[in-house]
Amino acid sequence: MNVVGTSAKRIDGIEKVTGSAEFTTDIVLPRMIHAKVKRSPFAHARILGIDTSKAEQMPGVRAVITAADLPDIRLGILTLDEHLLAHDKTRLVGEPVAAVAADTPEIARSACEQIEVEYEELPPLFDPEEAIRLDPPVVLHEEYEEYEKLLEIAEMDERPPNLWQAYRIRHGDIDAAFKQVEDEGGHIIENRYATGYVHTACMEPHGAVAQWSSDGTLTLWAGGQSPYIARDGLAKALDLSPSKVRVIVPFVGGAFGGKLTVKEGAIAAALARKARRPVKIILTRAEDLSATAARTPFIFDIKDAVTKEGILIGRKVTSILWGGGYSGEGILKPIFSTHLYPGSYRLAALWVDSYGVYTNRVSGGALRGYGCAESAWAVETQMDIIARECDIDAVELRINNLLTEGERTAITMPAHAFSAHECLTKCADAIEWETPSESLEHPWYRGKGIALGNKYSFAPTASSTELKVHEDASCELRTSAVDLGQGAYTILTQIVADEFGIEIDQVKLVTPDTAITPFDHVAGSSRQTFHTGNATRMACDDAKRQIRELAAPKLEADPDDLDVSGGRIFVKGSPERSIEVEDLFVVEMLAGKRPADVEVIGKATWEVTASPHDPNTGQGEEPMAYMGHGAQAAEVEVNVETGQVRIRKFVSAIDVGKAMNPQGVEMQNYGGGCMGIGIALHEDMCFDASGEMTNASLMDYKIPSIAEMPLNEYMESIIVEVPHQHGPYGAKGAGEIVVVPTSPAIGNAIYDAIGVRIWDQPLTPEKVVKAWKEKKAAGNGSGA
Amino acid sequence: MIDCHYLEPTTVSEACALLAEHGDGAKVVAGGQQMSLLLRNGLIQPSHLISIQHVSGLEDIAESADGVTIGAKVTLNRLIGVDNAHPTLRALSRAVEDVADQQIRNFATLGGAICEAHPASDINVVLSTLNASVKLVSASGERVVSIDDFVTDAFATAVRPGELLTEVVVPSFDLTSAAAAYRRFVLRAGDYSVVGVGTFVSLDGAGSCQDVRIVVGNCSGTPAQAQEAEGRLKGHNIVGNNALADAGDLAAAHVAPSGDPMASSEYKIDLVNVLTREALAEAVALATG
């Protein structure tokens, strides 16, 4: 049976298409009431007092909470800087200040309006370059030094008061690299790039249902990315033992990094405890867009030393992550984004200073590509500029600078299963790179662009699974991996079916429930196929070992000489000497069948260790679990009068090691491409002078529609398979690499079409027109 | 919280009586596409919603020598392709094709779209370009008001308490020598326009412009006539010379749109220039075609 590698149908497909799949919002419990959050209208303010008396007296209101009802505990991923409800200050518009549970969501919303909060407005700070000064105009966290921190940052003579992350890379002799290039007349290329504010904007907004049982156990249903991160976060926020928290993950309507933690779930839990009723909270679309973590902007200053022959020998980068009011899930981005500075390229010298700072805007979070999608924008645009400066073809220049298998990058990541060359050349072939774009009639211009990308999958990390074998030879996989829409449940089912030689419908999944399913780190960092896939294979092996041991006496054979497949146990080489799995079970009075000896439950933990890099040098042992590779190319049509950019053709070539489900990979290619196109051209969270988001609706926050995508036949998915030594069946993840090269591929295509660079995302029509006008004003605007 | 009375009259006179009875607090709802947004966002708090869903007689499209009369309840989707039977509605039909999406157009009515008076409404710009007028009926009688007089500001109209918009009249014109066109720019399919421009031109056999109308959308509260641009064209030969480009420049020079998060004032002005020229070129091509 070869189920792995086939385009098996999505096991959740019918449920989702028919609407029977249960999401958090579908959950209704007896006596359940509804929560709404009172949010700060100010980007920066001191809370002088909160009067909840009017709200509490409203008919239908069952509980009102403020920070006073919660333990005085600061939360966070690695720097614990945030209260669940604002304690003494608010540091962004939309920060939760109080919450109400009432019989209906409408009553809860009205009650929130009746809560009176007395604020002392403080001057807000939005500019990251002001924020990073040693003498900033505003300090957001006066008590920063007292905060608990779980991560060491780079040593500094004096820490700028708004800085929460500093990371350095010191590899090779950077001064020598620049001197060599200066001496021999090579190229020094220096540019500034910026990314924008992007939201995950999942179809399913954030939400949770919380219920307490009489023994003091909290059960929370929430569509998050990790039941265990959620469990431990809830326990911390509410000062409970983790064993007193049970998290169940229903179907999830997209996450993309935005559902790592369940802050709203903790608020619902606190309300439920006070009201002694189950509480449901579902954020409105406006709350979801404006008050949950977003992909906040980076500023990148990159300076490259390139020889006359087009070999990159030195790179200097200073970057600032424009963090929000709290460090949040963005805490590691200034570190992880550095993986793209070497990326797939050999770099003799690399010098990086990477920072994260507080500002009074939405907190930084994860979004598909965690830092790499952002740094790729800078690095891969820079590679295009270098190619043009050196007058070398952009594909050839990249190839000339690629690492080879077995080498280590400038940040000590081994180049293993190194497929950059294959991804790049297959992508170039598909976009007909050698053939220039056709000329169109003014004001339309066509051009092609290409970019390479990497995506690490972080370590240390672990996944555990359990596999129970039933008397009918069906298998039940217990996993805390989460299917966010990426297809994890189907892949894991395929693995079990493959390992046991059974049909897909003989595999049942027990989906995330911390009372039942074992630890899995997170559905993030493109890790479920790789890590949970490995754990699943190992749990299958463990279960098969148990079966072989149970069957050995019956078959009068050594367990090692037995094999299990298709519901039978047989002697290797003599398949006629076999018994059914069912024969291992005996009839028990009143109970049907039970296992003859012990329950067959395979268990396994797959673990990848890694030691943290020295934050002062960026050097150390192998820092990540694996590195994914991919290349994308776009052919665009640009209207220089309106600035409209149409993607005429889009190619995405990604290396997945082994395509566990080729159709699933194809969908990642298409879906990721669409998301990447949105980030490159359309999506932009806008803020007014007070720090409030001004386009917090799906009408105004421009997620592209299908009409903005290339026509079907012009959207091409290429699957590259260079197996990874540690991947299950050789597989690597596909979830994030598909958005990493998209923006630079499109930006480079725009340059090819009309000869202008736009340095800050998104590349909106207005920016295109402005850049074109500037080019014409500079006197070389006769055409592309 | 939405807390109001929902009434369902079955005739125009019943609807008018209810509107008169409940005065300012009464709002008409037809397809409900705008109303649901206005209510959800708390922009209006009506005491009574008067649904005209069951009012008959507001769904006809009829043509006479004077023009085409379109019932207020005609849905936007019904207007797509309506120019096959009523060729003077070509620009309206084409504009409606790009409004919102299929599901919304199935419910949204022409009357509702007009009364919303959204500054970025494509429909009011096209109707203004076509010199259309609306009929308003009340318990005490009826009156006909031009679109230009009807739309008084962003989200504001000349409708009086007790009045119901029952039909739209688009006057006829000579299709052999005149034509209308509409061009818009959107950031995403189905969005409200960043800028829209409607043009109407009537030419004599020599290419001289006998009549012209240029209306710019989303650069002020109401559709705005570009009189300076019109002045550059009327009475002049406009075929095969710079006239249309000049008109684009003039239209752009005389708008003062406010910027918004999605588009700055400067960018909107650029678009007015481009779209005016393009819409004029399309109308001229049709009129001379």
Side-chain angles (χ1 to χ4, degrees):
Chain A
M1 187 92 42
N2 287 307
V3 186
V4 163
T6 67
S7 292
K9 275 186 205 151
R10 289 283 294 250
I11 64 161
D12 50 344
I14 288 172
E15 273 177 282
K16 283 182 175 167
V17 168
T18 58
S20 62
E22 190 173 71
F23 292 83
T24 303
T25 194
D26 297 318
I27 292 167
V28 177
L29 300 177
R31 302 179 69 246
M32 187 178 83
I33 54 176
H34 303 269
K36 288 283 174 187
V37 176
K38 170 87 173 177
R39 297 180 183 279
S40 169
F42 300 114
H44 198 193
R46 200 170 298 287
I47 296 173
L48 303 177
I50 305 177
D51 182 353
T52 59
S53 55
K54 278 188 198 159
E56 279 163 3
Q57 284 154 21
M58 284 176 67
V61 170
R62 304 295 171 184
V64 181
I65 56 166
T66 67
D69 295 279
L70 298 168
D72 182 7
I73 292 172
R74 286 195 187 89
L75 309 170
I77 298 290
L78 291 166
T79 293
L80 310 190
D81 56 6
E82 181 173 13
H83 283 93
L84 188 57
L85 295 174
H87 206 252
D88 47 357
K89 266 176 93 171
T90 71
R91 296 179 178 87
L92 56 116
V93 175
E95 181 168 353
V97 173
V100 176
D103 291 351
T104 67
E106 289 78 15
I107 296 172
R109 192 173 72 178
S110 298
C112 282
E113 287 164 12
Q114 296 300 316
I115 296 174
E116 288 166 7
V117 185
E118 193 187 344
Y119 293 101
E120 177 198 343
E121 272 193 79
L122 299 169
L125 178 62
F126 301 126
D127 182 342
E129 290 180 286
E130 294 239 305
I132 203 168
R133 279 168 32 189
L134 281 169
D135 59 338
V138 172
V139 175
L140 271 73
H141 291 264
E142 296 90 340
E143 296 164 8
Y144 179 86
E145 297 299 343
E146 294 159 31
Y147 294 170
E148 187 183 351
K149 300 169 199 80
L150 309 175
L151 182 80
E152 193 188 335
I153 68 172
E155 290 161 22
M156 308 183 86
D157 294 338
E158 190 183 346
R159 183 187 66 87
N162 288 309
L163 182 128
W164 49 259
Q165 182 61 273
Y167 187 75
R168 297 201 181 99
I169 296 171
R170 299 290 184 264
H171 170 83
D173 188 340
I174 192 74
D175 295 332
F178 279 95
K179 184 165 187 315
Q180 179 192 330
V181 165
E182 269 168 35
D183 291 349
E184 70 172 38
H187 308 274
I188 292 176
I189 296 167
E190 187 171 7
N191 291 299
R192 166 170 276 211
Y193 301 86
T195 56
Y197 273 99
V198 187
H199 203 276
T200 54
C202 302
M203 271 199 283
E204 180 200 27
H206 289 72
V209 177
Q211 182 178 39
W212 293 82
S213 52
S214 52
D215 69 349
T217 300
L218 167 67
T219 302
L220 190 100
W221 289 261
Q225 292 175 246
S226 168
Y228 281 89
I229 291 176
R231 184 194 69 156
D232 296 352
L234 287 163
K236 174 109 187 163
L238 302 171
D239 202 14
L240 298 166
S241 164
S243 68
K244 287 286 187 190
V245 182
R246 175 183 183 186
V247 175
I248 299 170
V249 184
F251 275 118
V252 185
F256 304 107
K259 294 177 182 168
L260 288 169
T261 57
V262 288
K263 287 177 196 151
E264 55 289 328
I267 291 172
L271 284 166
R273 182 158 61 179
K274 191 166 180 183
R276 297 175 175 278
R277 304 267 294 257
V279 171
K280 177 189 275 187
I281 185 167
I282 304 289
L283 300 195
T284 64
R285 180 57 67 185
E287 285 178 297
D288 197 71
L289 283 170
S290 64
T292 64
R295 187 179 111 172
T296 57
F298 265 104
I299 297 169
F300 302 101
D301 285 301
I302 299 200
K303 186 176 176 184
D304 285 338
V306 184
T307 67
K308 275 190 294 190
E309 295 76 27
I311 300 301
L312 184 61
I313 60 169
R315 169 167 284 168
K316 235 179 142 164
V317 186
T318 304
S319 76
I320 307 176
L321 174 63
W322 190 332
Y326 302 94
S327 56
E329 298 96 65
I331 186 82
L332 288 164
K333 266 194 185 179
I335 303 175
F336 288 2
S337 58
T338 64
H339 275 265
L340 253 285
Y341 298 144
S344 300
Y345 305 115
R346 185 178 298 115
L347 258 177
L350 175 64
W351 183 103
V352 178
D353 272 6
S354 185
Y355 303 108
V357 293
Y358 292 117
T359 62
N360 289 113
R361 281 202 187 154
V362 62
S363 294
L367 189 152
R368 208 176 193 179
Y370 198 83
C372 282
E374 292 98 309
S375 47
W377 164 239
V379 166
E380 286 296 307
T381 308
Q382 187 79 350
M383 293 308 280
D384 198 66
I385 293 169
I386 293 169
R388 288 174 188 273
E389 193 86 8
C390 298
D391 199 20
I392 298 173
D393 174 81
V395 171
E396 191 186 329
L397 177 110
R398 285 178 172 86
I399 289 172
N400 293 345
N401 281 284
L402 286 181
L403 295 158
T404 53
E405 180 78 23
E407 270 187 272
R408 279 182 183 254
T409 71
I411 54 172
T412 70
M413 187 69 198
H416 167 65
F418 188 73
S419 51
H421 186 279
E422 189 176 342
C423 292
L424 194 56
T425 49
K426 283 190 167 160
C427 193
D429 288 348
I431 201 91
E432 296 172 64
W433 184 253
E434 302 291 334
T435 314
S437 288
E438 256 177 65
S439 297
L440 304 176
E441 210 169 298
H442 180 86
W444 286 98
Y445 295 87
R446 240 182 224 175
K448 293 177 188 177
I450 198 163
L452 194 57
N454 300 98
K455 180 63 184 57
Y456 62 82
S457 184
F458 73 74
T461 189
S463 290
S464 300
T465 58
E466 290 175 9
L467 188 107
K468 173 169 169 163
V469 180
H470 289 268
E471 65 264 40
D472 60 358
S474 69
C475 293
E476 176 186 304
L477 180 71
R478 297 169 184 171
T479 175
S480 294
V482 185
D483 198 319
L484 310 164
Q486 86 279 46
Y489 292 162
T490 304
I491 299 279
L492 297 176
T493 302
Q494 284 179 267
I495 291 174
V496 175
D498 206 272
E499 294 295 319
F500 275 86
I502 55 179
E503 300 291 338
I504 285 208
D505 60 10
Q506 289 176 279
V507 182
K508 178 182 162 49
L509 281 196
V510 178
T511 55
D513 176 345
T514 58
I516 303 166
T517 56
F519 179 85
D520 196 288
H521 200 154
V522 58
S525 207
S526 307
R527 60 177 297 292
Q528 301 275 229
T529 295
F530 192 91
H531 298 290
T532 317
N534 271 317
T536 300
R537 279 192 97 176
M538 289 162 66
C540 289
D541 281 347
D542 189 42
K544 286 200 283 190
R545 177 189 56 75
Q546 294 172 34
I547 290 172
R548 288 198 309 269
E549 284 170 5
L550 288 171
K554 292 181 190 282
L555 285 166
E556 295 175 344
D558 189 276
D560 291 341
D561 293 333
L562 300 181
D563 214 343
V564 183
S565 183
R568 297 186 72 78
I569 307 114
F570 55 90
V571 179
K572 287 179 200 166
S574 315
E576 70 288 353
R577 286 177 60 200
S578 72
I579 55 169
E580 305 274 338
V581 166
E582 194 178 357
D583 297 335
L584 302 175
F585 291 76
V586 296
V587 176
E588 188 72 273
M589 187 171 60
L590 303 180
K593 285 191 169 178
R594 67 163 173 84
D597 191 355
V598 292
E599 281 262 26
V600 178
I601 300 179
K603 289 197 289 188
T605 294
W606 164 265
E607 187 183 7
V608 176
T609 57
S611 53
H613 273 183
D614 180 346
N616 299 300
T617 64
Q619 305 295 299
E621 294 301 311
E622 182 163 338
M624 293 291 178
Y626 71 89
M627 201 78 168
H629 300 276
Q632 291 178 332
E635 183 172 35
V636 301
E637 295 178 346
V638 185
N639 182 320
V640 295
E641 290 184 345
T642 62
Q644 188 183 356
V645 176
R646 293 196 296 233
I647 309 289
R648 181 176 178 273
K649 181 165 183 172
F650 185 80
V651 181
S652 182
I654 59 161
D655 171 27
V656 293
K658 161 79 180 172
M660 308 287 278
N661 184 316
Q663 194 179 42
V665 179
E666 204 176 313
M667 294 301 117
Q668 287 281 17
N669 255 335
Y670 295 151
C674 293
M675 191 174 195
I677 289 169
I679 291 168
L681 297 178
H682 302 278
E683 297 182 40
D684 194 12
M685 296 168 70
C686 302
F687 298 87
D688 65 16
S690 75
E692 184 173 356
M693 186 179 173
T694 54
N695 58 341
S697 80
L698 292 182
M699 191 186 278
D700 298 318
Y701 180 74
K702 305 292 182 188
I703 295 173
S705 76
I706 198 71
E708 277 71 53
M709 295 302 140
L711 297 171
N712 276 0
E713 62 267 38
Y714 292 107
M715 192 100 183
E716 191 168 339
S717 159
I718 296 171
I719 299 174
V720 174
E721 294 180 294
V722 178
H724 192 282
Q725 59 181 339
H726 300 309
Y729 311 88
K732 303 174 236 190
E736 295 172 287
I737 182 68
V738 287
V739 296
V740 173
T742 323
S743 289
I746 291 170
N748 294 339
I750 292 173
Y751 185 87
D752 189 50
I754 63 170
V756 302
R757 293 275 174 205
I758 298 157
W759 307 96
D760 55 326
Q761 289 179 342
L763 317 178
T764 60
E766 177 162 357
K767 289 181 194 168
V768 171
V769 168
K770 186 164 176 277
W772 174 257
K773 283 206 268 185
E774 283 166 4
K775 180 184 156 176
K776 272 179 29 180
N780 50 2
S782 56
Chain B
M1 209 180 314
I2 299 158
D3 188 9
C4 69
H5 300 280
Y6 190 77
L7 305 172
E8 293 185 294
T10 55
T11 65
V12 169
S13 55
E14 268 179 48
C16 290
L18 289 170
L19 284 167
E21 186 186 340
H22 300 295
D24 263 348
K27 296 287 173 211
V28 177
V29 56
Q33 299 305 292
Q34 293 310 329
M35 188 58 73
S36 49
L37 274 181
L38 293 170
L39 291 171
R40 190 200 68 182
N41 293 336
L43 296 174
I44 59 169
Q45 281 96 25
S47 63
H48 293 77
L49 280 179
I50 317 284
S51 166
I52 57 168
Q53 203 178 352
H54 301 294
V55 172
S56 54
L58 302 178
E59 291 167 39
D60 298 328
I61 302 174
E63 184 150 10
S64 69
D66 293 337
V68 184
T69 304
I70 310 166
K73 279 174 61 186
V74 168
T75 63
L76 300 189
N77 258 350
R78 263 190 72 201
L79 290 172
I80 296 174
V82 73
D83 52 325
N84 290 327
H86 310 285
T88 54
L89 299 185
R90 180 186 177 280
L92 179 64
S93 169
R94 298 293 160 89
V96 167
E97 276 180 32
D98 295 328
V99 171
D101 57 42
Q102 182 84 3
Q103 287 84 352
I104 289 176
R105 291 194 304 264
N106 269 338
F107 278 90
T109 64
L110 180 62
I114 295 169
C115 290
E116 182 203 7
H118 196 293
S121 162
D122 302 306
I123 284 164
N124 284 347
V125 174
V126 180
L127 291 176
S128 170
T129 307
L130 294 171
N131 259 319
S133 50
V134 295
K135 187 200 270 188
L136 301 165
V137 177
S138 68
S140 56
E142 59 183 56
R143 61 186 179 121
V144 173
V145 180
S146 75
I147 278 285
D148 291 349
D149 291 334
F150 182 73
V151 181
T152 55
D153 203 346
F155 306 105
T157 68
V159 74
R160 296 171 187 153
E163 280 185 328
L164 179 70
L165 189 155
T166 57
E167 63 186 39
V168 181
V169 181
V170 178
S172 60
F173 56 85
D174 181 1
L175 286 157
T176 62
S177 61
Y182 181 69
R183 286 294 173 106
R184 72 203 289 260
F185 187 78
V186 290
L187 292 170
R188 177 179 60 180
D191 274 1
Y192 280 110
S193 298
V194 178
V195 168
V197 178
T199 58
F200 171 84
V201 291
S202 169
L203 301 171
D204 70 8
S208 176
C209 177
Q210 303 299 299
D211 194 9
V212 61
R213 201 166 152 79
I214 301 169
V215 182
V216 178
N218 206 28
C219 287
S220 57
T222 65
Q225 208 175 332
Q227 288 170 343
E228 296 80 6
E230 291 172 358
R232 167 67 185 81
L233 304 180
K234 194 164 182 175
H236 298 277
N237 191 311
I238 62 170
V239 179
N241 55 34
N242 284 334
L244 305 188
D246 290 349
D249 290 343
L250 281 165
H254 289 88
V255 290
S258 54
D260 59 51
M262 299 294 120
S264 70
S265 171
E266 189 191 354
Y267 178 54
K268 285 185 182 174
I269 292 169
D270 286 340
L271 289 175
V272 168
N273 193 335
V274 175
L275 299 177
T276 301
R277 195 188 68 224
E278 288 183 358
L280 281 168
E282 184 181 337
V284 167
L286 288 164
T288 55

